[in-house]
Amino acid sequence: MTHPAPLTPPSLPLTLLRPDSLLPVPGPAPALPRIIQGGMGVAVSDWRLARAVSMTGELGVVSGTGIDTVLLRRLQDGDPDGHVRAALSHFPDAALAARTVQRFFLPAGRAPGQPYARVPLPTAERHRDAWELSVLGAFTEVFLARQGHANPVGLNLLTKLQLHTLPCLFGAMLAGVDTVIMGAGIPRDIPRVLDALAAGQPATLNLDVRGGDPVPLTLDPAAYGGAGVALTRPKFYPVVASHVLAGVLARKASGGVEGFVVEGPTAGGTTPRRAAP
């Protein structure tokens, strides 16, 4: 049986990250932001945008939607600036990071017309590959967004994409995410999940099943290099469209809710029309 070689940061120069700035700059706790950047999925709100916003003192936000696929494709496109591999060299489980790079990284990128390698979509019974990539992808995105400044960085997730929620939260927390923002549903169980992961304990979230009983999904930090490691518990800002939903979450959430993102009927990015709440 062969083991992957230890992962080392690439030797090529990084265009945005200096070799002496691979870790966040320490500094005083910033004031509450005046601007919270929107979380646009599948790397529209990527680490570069979030980093630029956070460096102004506002809350830059990375999207965790599809982050497993984003990581896969960046590695297969050759990671030309070396940012992904540099971030992964700081992941607590060095063997997992090295194994992923060895499996998917193409130094010269894909050949013309070559399709991307993929992993199976996660299910309630089989999700190890997708969860490993989601943990690594969320860690990478938040880690890179935090470079060169001491200001907060947030993570945006869609509540309805339940199969990816636990690994994205854990990966982002390993990288020091400050705030979690979730909409597209009623995320009342997320505060309890954040509390458990912050304590280094297994966290469980129910997967809704149409026509059946919910199926519990559990992520054990020990399986991803976080056994017994205490992490900073991020603030939680659910997205709400009415005071009624805000009241329900304030009363019935499973733990602390530190604020709300209020989304009116004109929200929705490029969506032509959106029904009033």
Side-chain angles (χ1 to χ4, degrees):
M1 179 178 178
T2 60
H3 297 277
L7 182 64
T8 56
S11 58
L12 54 88
L14 303 182
T15 57
L16 290 180
L17 309 182
R18 303 187 309 276
D20 61 346
S21 67
L22 281 175
L23 294 174
V25 174
L32 290 174
R34 296 170 300 167
I35 296 172
I36 298 177
Q37 176 213 320
M40 298 165 282
V42 198
V44 175
S45 291
D46 68 354
W47 67 267
R48 291 176 174 85
L49 175 59
R51 179 174 181 265
V53 173
S54 288
M55 289 186 76
T56 70
E58 308 306 334
L59 182 60
V61 177
V62 299
S63 171
T65 303
I67 200 65
D68 51 341
T69 298
V70 170
L71 177 68
L72 268 182
R73 296 193 172 195
R74 286 174 177 166
L75 288 172
Q76 292 175 74
D77 285 337
D79 185 25
D81 295 321
H83 294 134
V84 171
R85 287 168 291 148
L88 289 176
S89 71
H90 290 268
F91 188 74
D93 188 339
L96 172 57
R99 184 170 69 247
T100 301
V101 171
Q102 186 180 63
R103 181 180 176 186
F104 295 109
F105 175 58
L106 300 177
R110 294 174 302 120
Q114 178 183 355
Y116 287 104
R118 298 183 294 176
V119 298
L121 291 173
T123 67
E125 296 80 19
R126 294 186 306 167
H127 47 251
R128 179 70 192 193
D129 278 349
W131 278 26
E132 285 184 351
L133 291 170
S134 294
V135 170
L136 291 169
F139 174 88
T140 297
E141 205 74 357
V142 173
F143 182 92
L144 291 173
R146 295 186 66 217
Q147 301 315 301
H149 63 90
N151 298 320
V153 169
L155 170 74
N156 181 273
L157 293 173
L158 298 176
T159 305
K160 293 185 181 298
L161 299 183
Q162 295 171 317
L163 280 164
H164 290 87
T165 298
L166 288 171
C168 283
L169 289 174
F170 182 59
M173 289 173 66
L174 283 173
V177 73
D178 176 83
T179 303
V180 171
I181 299 171
M182 293 184 64
I186 304 176
R188 68 180 65 183
D189 294 326
I190 298 303
R192 171 177 47 79
V193 168
L194 297 177
D195 292 341
L197 294 177
Q201 300 299 316
T204 299
L205 188 66
N206 282 333
L207 174 66
D208 294 326
V209 178
R210 179 177 294 180
D213 296 327
V215 175
L217 300 171
T218 298
L219 183 144
D220 186 350
Y224 302 92
V229 177
L231 302 171
T232 300
R233 197 268 201 193
K235 295 183 284 292
F236 180 52
Y237 296 167
V239 180
V240 298
S242 71
H243 70 283
V244 174
L245 178 55
V248 168
L249 286 168
R251 293 192 309 272
K252 297 185 178 181
S254 57
V257 175
E258 287 68 40
F260 296 97
V261 174
V262 180
E263 187 174 82
T266 58
T270 57
T271 305
R273 298 181 63 187
R274 187 181 179 108

